[in-house]
């Protein structure tokens, strides 16, 4: 009797283990986490939109916050700029030209500032947030943009419209070199763009990214990363963009990129660029606005901390005769005593 009960219990235990193992395998095979690992307020689009639209640098000499986008060829830098314009203007627009057939070669060849305006006609105004796009990074020394050109752009030494030359970097003797950059010419936020659908980052491209980041770090310029093509990289995100922070595959991609480039996870933002859509989508907009808000915050902190020192104290600026008056009074006092 005891032996039969033991056998029955054994079979029950084996069956339980089989079921438990099957359940564990199903859970392990699930492409989605039970809960998102990062919270996002999907219903706060208007709040986030107004936050970005109402931003204005407090320093008078800084007319706009400048964001520089760089990354490997085909990462979606220009498409992101277009997507930002779509969100802020509330309709489809293409300020930055893109191509769907040249992913192995950079479609962007010149340095161009993309300004975003709202309204039309006499009511048209430009937002104090501009984006610069550069040629993509490629494997090898004579392909794509040189890392040194991106470093010069960060410091404001690249003139508007300069055509990048893969065969040779920009020098001080070139026409496209800006010897005296203003505060507005310099970059306030550096954004590295990476495609989530890319198999891996080439070693030479990764080294160029690190070189650019080192220069930005020396200048204390805040750095972020955008991970694009998230819908192409994960079928669950393609079904529903709200699965972005539940996708195990995307989370791993972001962690791998963070470890390879050195950008912290809380500074990496997955976004879906507008590509085949002809109408706006709230969920796509929220992802873009989430990244935009951090660009504004990080850039404004940099301007306040590092560029505010270029302005004289308010007392001397508004009352230029104050110091002179004080010196004259002291000199009169000395003469009387003498």
């Amino acid at each position: 009797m005891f032996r039969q009960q033991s056998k029955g219990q054994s079979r029950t235990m084996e069956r339980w283990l089989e079921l438990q193992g099957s359940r564990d395998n199903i859970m392990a095979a699930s492409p989605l986490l039970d809960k998102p690992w990062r919270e996002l307020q999907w219903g706060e689009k208007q709040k986030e939109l107004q936050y970005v639209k109402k931003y204005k640098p407090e320093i008078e000499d800084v007319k706009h916050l400048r964001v520089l986008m760089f990354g490997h060829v085909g990462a979606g830098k220009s498409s992101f700029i277009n997507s930002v314009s779509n969100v802020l203007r509330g309709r489809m627009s293409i300020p930055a030209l893109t191509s769907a057939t040249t992913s192995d070669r950079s479609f962007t060849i010149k340095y161009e500032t993309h300004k975003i305006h709202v309204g039309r006609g006499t009511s048209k105004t430009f937002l104090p947030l501009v984006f610069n796009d550069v040629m993509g990074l490629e494997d090898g020394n004579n392909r794509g943009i040189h890392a040194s050109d991106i470093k010069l752009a960060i410091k404001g030494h690249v003139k508007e419209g300069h055509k990048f030359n893969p065969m040779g970097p920009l020098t001080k003797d070139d026409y496209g070199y800006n010897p005296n950059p203003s505060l507005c010419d310099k970059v306030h936020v550096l954004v590295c763009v990476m495609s989530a659908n890319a198999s891996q980052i080439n070693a030479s491209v990764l080294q160029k990214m690190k070189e650019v980041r080192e220069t930005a770090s020396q200048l204390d310029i805040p750095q972020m990363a955008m991970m694009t093509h998230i819908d192409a990289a994960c079928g669950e995100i393609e079904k529903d963009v709200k699965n972005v922070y539940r996708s195990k595959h995307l989370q791993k991609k972001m962690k791998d990129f963070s470890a390879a480039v050195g950008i912290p996870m809380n500074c990496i933002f997955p976004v879906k660029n507008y590509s085949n859509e002809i109408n706006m989508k709230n969920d796509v907009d929220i992802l873009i606005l989430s990244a935009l808000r951090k660009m504004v915050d990080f850039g404004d902190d940099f301007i306040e901390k590092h560029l505010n020192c270029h302005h004289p104290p308010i007392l001397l600026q508004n009352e230029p005769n104050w110091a002179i008056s004080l010196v004259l009074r002291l000199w009169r006092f000395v003469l009387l005593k003498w």
Side-chain angles (χ1 to χ4, degrees), residues 253-271:
K253 276 279 187 178
M254 292 173 64
K255 287 182 177 180
D256 291 345
F257 182 66
S258 175
V261 181
I263 299 177
M265 281 287 284
N266 62 351
C267 292
I268 301 177
F269 294 83
V271 294

Side-chain angles (χ1 to χ4, degrees), residues 285-310:
D285 294 352
I286 281 292
L287 282 177
I288 295 171
L289 286 169
S290 173
L292 274 180
R293 177 162 186 151
K294 296 306 176 186
M295 287 182 195
V296 169
D297 290 343
F298 295 162
D300 190 61
D301 288 344
F302 173 78
I303 291 173
E304 286 290 323
K305 180 179 179 181
H306 296 280
L307 303 185
N308 207 20
C309 60
H310 291 273

